[in-house]
């Protein structure tokens, strides 16, 4: 997520950074041309705010920071990695499900782009530096997400959340499928799952609009909330929608600020735009988010054969799945994949058969770029429920083990699937993953940005830069044999 964007500090040009990976060097100055202009502008806005936010946190943290000494997690035993899967695919078709976390900035966020660039830099034989999209945007379009489906009757303080058919159609989750074509190896597929459209009506109208007059107008968020763009290649769908009318957005942007500068940046960024997603994920909207993600996963299984078009034929057994999730995404994707007796039986679930189980049993590893497992599990104290992520992860471990033992020549034992949790201790929105039955958990400490005198690290970069951090990428992509050299 992005914490804030509406400030007036002088723009600083990002420093060109290079870091080594096994056998090659990636330079982010070389890759900057692959990021769209909108994202560059967004990054400039982020850099502008680091001064005020850093000053605020400096006063809050300086006392305790100076009293503490640095600690580093012991390096756990190295195990198989994404790099090993790519080097020894044995004919399997490898798909990476990438799911974003809280505070997405919509269609111009390009969440999976840094990850795809880093993977291609490691492989060194991608024909395109970040892969190429295949097919059109793939929308959830079954059950309540059908273009002609009735608008849900959810209300927020007696105000209907979606007021028209167009608004509901603009809220459908979607996937973008990318193919990383390789000159000397099998193609790799990245399926970017976007659930953010379901949250924008509430966040834009009820939170951003209200705080514009109460705290301060966040001009970047207001602009995101007031731009309509139809998806010309997919009938009745939108890339962005004007939840705040443009004329109202113009008025809001001119309102005078009232809150203290550092406080208002935290309020309109971290709380209004980011933490509100976590609250929505625990309420009634959660059922829509999970069903949308399920539909996108089913569609993604056929993207290599049909360029993103849904395929009703069960996928072949030669597919392997790897999950890379950022922030809240880890909580959502496992809740979506684990279908059990407590799961709401939507049409998507009823007609899927055992396809979600097939995805889980063929998911060999998971990477968490920041996670809120310890925090969100505070809401699941009553034992196994559809909201208990620990239960979902244990189900994954059992399905994976049973699948491995069913293969010809397999032993009676099996190696549990692995979660690699990458966490920056200066990230305000991540916690370590506890030990879980049936799953191998490895917590790695990374540093996503410069720590100034061990007192302050830019909190935006601490939370957002996992896919750009050299230690995080090396941890994902370095093979077992390379680690021992």
């Amino acid at each position: 997520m992005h914490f804030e964007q509406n400030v007036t500090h002088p723009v600083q040009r990002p420093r060109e950074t290079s870091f080594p990976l096994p056998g090659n060097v990636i330079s982010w100055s070389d890759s900057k041309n692959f990021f769209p202009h909108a994202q560059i502008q967004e990054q400039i806005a982020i850099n502008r705010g680091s001064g005020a936010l850093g000053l605020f946190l400096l006063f809050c943290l300086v006392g305790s920071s100076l009293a503490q000494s640095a600690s580093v997690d012991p390096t756990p035993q190295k195990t198989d990695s994404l790099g090993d899967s790519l080097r020894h695919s044995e004919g399997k078709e490898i798909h990476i499900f990438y799911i974003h976390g809280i505070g997405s900035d919509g269609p111009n966020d390009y969440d999976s782009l840094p990850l795809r660039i880093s993977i291609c830099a490691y492989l060194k034989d991608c024909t395109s530096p970040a892969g190429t999209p295949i097919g059109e945007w793939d929308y959830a379009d079954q059950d309540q997400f059908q273009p002609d489906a009735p608008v849900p009757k959810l209300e927020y303080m007696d105000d209907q959340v979606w007021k028209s058919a167009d608004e509901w159609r603009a809220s459908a989750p979607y996937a973008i499928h990318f193919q990383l074509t390789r000159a000397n190896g099998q193609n790799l597929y990245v399926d970017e799952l976007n659930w953010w459209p379901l949250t924008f009506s509430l966040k834009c109208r009820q939170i951003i609009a209200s705080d514009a007059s109460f705290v301060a107008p966040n001009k970047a968020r207001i602009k995101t909330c007031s731009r309509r763009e139809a998806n010309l290649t997919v009938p009745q769908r939108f890339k962005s929608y004007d939840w705040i009318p443009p004329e109202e957005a113009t008025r809001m942007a001119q309102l005078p600020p009232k809150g203290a500068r550092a406080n208002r940046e935290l309020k309109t960024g971290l709380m209004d735009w980011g933490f509100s997603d976590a609250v929505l994920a625990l309420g009634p909207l959660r059922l829509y988010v999970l069903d949308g993600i399920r539909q996108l996963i089913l569609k993604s299984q056929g993207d290599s054969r049909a360029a993103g078009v849904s395929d009703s034929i069960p996928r072949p057994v030669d597919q392997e799945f790897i999950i890379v999730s950022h922030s809240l995404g880890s909580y959502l994707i496992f809740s979506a994949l684990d279908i059990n007796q407590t799961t709401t039986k939507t049409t998507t679930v009823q007609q899927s058969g055992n396809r979600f189980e097939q995805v889980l049993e063929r998911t060999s590893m998971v990477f968490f770029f920041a996670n809120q497992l310890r925090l969100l599990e505070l809401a699941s104290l009553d034992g196994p429920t559809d909201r208990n992520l620990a239960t979902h992860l244990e189900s994954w471990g059992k399905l994976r083990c049973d699948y491995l033992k069913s293969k010809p020549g397999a032993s009676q034992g099996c190696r549990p699937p692995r979660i690699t949790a990458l966490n920056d201790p200066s990230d305000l929105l991540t916690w370590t993953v506890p030990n879980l039955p049936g799953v191998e958990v490895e917590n790695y400490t990374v540093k996503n940005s410069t720590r100034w005198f061990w007192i302050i690290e830019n909190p935006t970069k601490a939370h957002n830069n996992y896919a750009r951090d050299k230690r995080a990428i090396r941890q994902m992509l370095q093979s077992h044999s390379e680690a021992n050299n």
Side-chain angles (χ1 to χ4, degrees):
M1 66 156 286
H2 304 286
F3 292 99
E4 53 74 32
Q5 295 185 356
N6 180 23
V7 289
T8 57
H9 285 295
V11 178
Q12 296 181 351
R13 182 178 179 180
R15 181 171 59 89
E16 295 181 352
T17 305
S18 297
F19 63 82
L21 281 174
N24 74 100
V25 174
I26 176 173
S27 170
W28 293 113
S29 62
D30 294 336
S31 64
K32 63 186 178 181
N33 293 327
F34 306 125
F35 289 83
H37 179 71
Q39 189 172 0
I40 295 176
Q41 293 297 106
E42 178 184 11
Q43 187 61 44
I44 290 174
I46 292 173
N47 290 338
R48 288 177 173 175
S50 60
L53 187 55
L55 183 62
F56 171 78
L57 291 176
L58 173 63
F59 282 107
C60 293
L61 300 177
V62 62
S64 60
S65 296
L66 292 175
Q68 297 177 4
S69 61
S71 63
V72 179
D73 287 353
T75 302
Q77 183 180 2
K78 186 71 179 179
T79 58
D80 293 340
S81 67
L82 175 55
D84 289 306
S85 292
L86 295 174
R87 286 174 177 265
H88 310 291
S89 60
E90 299 177 348
K92 292 180 180 177
E93 184 180 272
I94 300 177
H95 285 248
I96 295 176
F97 288 135
Y98 180 88
I99 183 166
H100 65 81
I102 62 176
S104 172
D105 278 324
N108 294 321
D109 219 344
Y110 307 101
D111 270 293
S112 69
L113 180 58
L115 177 65
R116 288 182 278 116
I117 290 176
S118 297
I119 290 174
C120 281
Y122 170 82
L123 295 175
K124 297 187 291 186
D125 64 349
C126 291
T127 60
S128 174
T132 55
I134 54 177
E136 307 299 339
W137 287 20
D138 213 355
Y139 291 85
D141 57 7
Q142 304 298 313
D143 304 333
Q144 66 268 38
F145 294 114
Q146 294 182 43
D148 58 350
V151 180
K153 300 300 183 183
L154 289 182
E155 294 184 349
Y156 176 88
M157 297 186 180
D158 293 329
D159 185 24
Q160 192 164 346
V161 176
W162 300 284
K163 307 178 188 302
S164 68
D166 267 356
E167 288 189 3
W168 177 234
R169 286 192 285 263
S171 302
Y174 66 92
I176 308 177
H177 311 291
F178 298 92
Q179 178 174 290
L180 276 57
T181 304
R182 302 176 60 193
N184 302 306
Q186 284 185 297
N187 295 339
L188 176 68
Y189 299 91
V190 177
D191 302 297
E192 181 185 290
L193 311 181
N194 291 275
W195 52 270
W196 61 263
L198 280 165
T199 69
F200 267 40
S201 173
L202 286 164
K203 291 201 303 184
C204 292
R205 287 170 167 166
Q206 306 298 343
I207 306 296
I208 295 300
S210 173
D211 266 0
S213 59
F214 174 57
V215 179
N218 188 316
K219 295 180 181 179
R221 308 299 183 199
I222 293 172
K223 182 178 179 180
T224 299
C225 290
S226 60
R227 181 176 55 212
R228 179 185 292 208
E229 180 183 358
N231 191 331
L232 300 179
T233 61
V234 184
Q236 298 182 299
R237 298 299 185 185
F238 298 84
K239 291 188 174 183
S240 60
Y241 196 82
D242 51 343
W243 304 105
I244 299 176
E247 60 276 9
E248 180 65 7
T250 300
R251 184 193 69 82
M252 288 181 183
Q254 297 172 350
L255 293 172
K258 297 180 179 178
R261 180 165 189 166
N263 298 65
R264 71 184 185 238
E265 289 167 357
L266 285 170
K267 177 72 182 301
T268 61
L270 175 62
M271 301 305 296
D272 289 358
W273 198 251
F275 193 71
S276 57
D277 282 334
V279 176
L280 290 169
L282 295 173
L285 192 65
R286 178 175 176 275
L287 298 177
Y288 295 90
V289 173
L290 296 185
D291 205 47
I293 293 173
R294 290 176 184 132
Q295 293 186 32
L296 299 180
I297 289 172
L298 295 180
K299 285 173 172 284
S300 298
Q301 292 175 350
D303 59 11
S304 59
R305 301 185 302 275
V309 179
S310 180
D311 188 348
S312 61
I313 301 175
R315 57 167 182 73
V317 296
D318 63 346
Q319 286 182 314
E320 177 181 349
F321 300 99
I322 295 167
I323 293 173
V324 179
S325 64
H326 184 240
S327 190
L328 182 64
S330 55
Y331 174 82
L332 294 173
I333 195 165
F334 275 100
S335 299
L337 283 170
D338 185 17
I339 305 299
N340 53 51
Q341 66 272 15
T342 65
T343 303
T344 302
K345 296 301 185 289
T346 63
T347 304
T348 302
V349 172
Q350 293 171 349
Q351 295 180 351
S352 64
N354 63 347
R355 292 176 67 186
F356 293 114
E357 289 188 358
Q358 291 174 344
V359 171
L360 280 175
E361 67 188 19
R362 289 170 173 81
T363 298
S364 57
M365 62 191 76
V366 171
F367 297 92
F368 288 169
F369 289 172
N371 76 94
Q372 290 94 43
L373 175 57
R374 287 187 185 270
L375 178 68
L376 295 176
E377 284 296 282
L378 295 175
S380 304
L381 302 180
D382 294 330
T385 70
D386 68 335
R387 296 172 184 267
N388 191 320
L389 182 58
T391 300
H392 301 320
L393 294 173
E394 291 171 23
S395 298
W396 168 43
K398 183 179 185 306
L399 285 168
R400 176 66 178 172
C401 185
D402 291 344
Y403 167 70
L404 293 176
K405 290 193 293 187
S406 69
K407 300 179 70 174
S411 63
Q412 291 303 308
C414 67
R415 182 176 182 175
R418 178 165 58 90
I419 294 175
T420 299
L422 301 163
N423 302 300
D424 186 331
S426 299
D427 182 353
L428 304 180
L429 294 170
T430 191
W431 289 260
T432 58
V433 177
N435 293 329
L436 297 166
V439 179
E440 178 182 325
V441 176
E442 296 179 346
N443 288 287
Y444 285 89
T445 297
V446 298
K447 185 172 69 172
N448 291 335
S449 186
T450 301
R451 296 174 186 171
W452 297 102
F453 309 107
W454 279 94
I455 295 176
I456 185 67
E457 177 180 339
N458 186 315
T460 301
K461 294 181 178 179
H463 188 66
N464 289 343
N465 280 3
Y466 287 92
R468 296 180 175 91
D469 184 87
K470 61 183 180 180
R471 283 149 292 226
I473 297 303
R474 183 160 49 236
Q475 193 57 55
M476 286 183 61
L477 297 174
Q478 189 177 44
S479 68
H480 180 74
S481 59
E482 290 169 331
N484 291 330
N485 290 334

